[in-house]
Structure formats: structure tokens, C-alpha cells
Amino acid sequence: MRLGSTARSIGWGSTRLNLPAGAWIDRITGTEHTGPIDAAAVLSRYPVAVLVRN
């Protein structure tokens, strides 16, 4: 089972991260994020994320 599915089932549910304006890169996955995002989406591959402003 992927962590994203697990994260939703153990309590992330509709948890959103309100990122400050601009683009943010997850240094672990290389994925770019902007605006409010689902916590489960950010943690879908690994149980941690390192977000830095792009």
C-alpha cells in the first residue's frame, strides 16, 4: 500500500498545507507545489518532504 493511501486512512484526510505564495520544490522527489495542497499528496511517496522556495 502506498503511503498516500495509508496517510488518508490514519488521519490526514482533508488536511491542507497553506504554502506561502510562489513555487515550492520538494528536494526529495523534485515535485513542484504551489498554493494550498493536500498533505496526503505531498507525502504520497515518502513519509517526509523537504519543501524549499523555487
Side-chain angles (χ1 to χ4, degrees):
M1 178 183 289
R2 293 189 56 180
L3 181 60
S5 299
T6 303
R8 283 192 195 282
S9 70
I10 62 171
W12 288 116
S14 62
T15 301
R16 308 266 298 159
L17 303 175
N18 292 313
L19 299 177
W24 294 81
I25 300 290
D26 182 340
R27 292 290 183 172
I28 296 172
T29 66
T31 305
E32 183 174 310
H33 302 280
T34 58
I37 54 176
D38 291 330
V42 174
L43 302 174
S44 65
R45 291 180 65 188
Y46 301 107
V48 298
V50 178
L51 300 177
V52 295
R53 192 179 300 268
N54 189 14

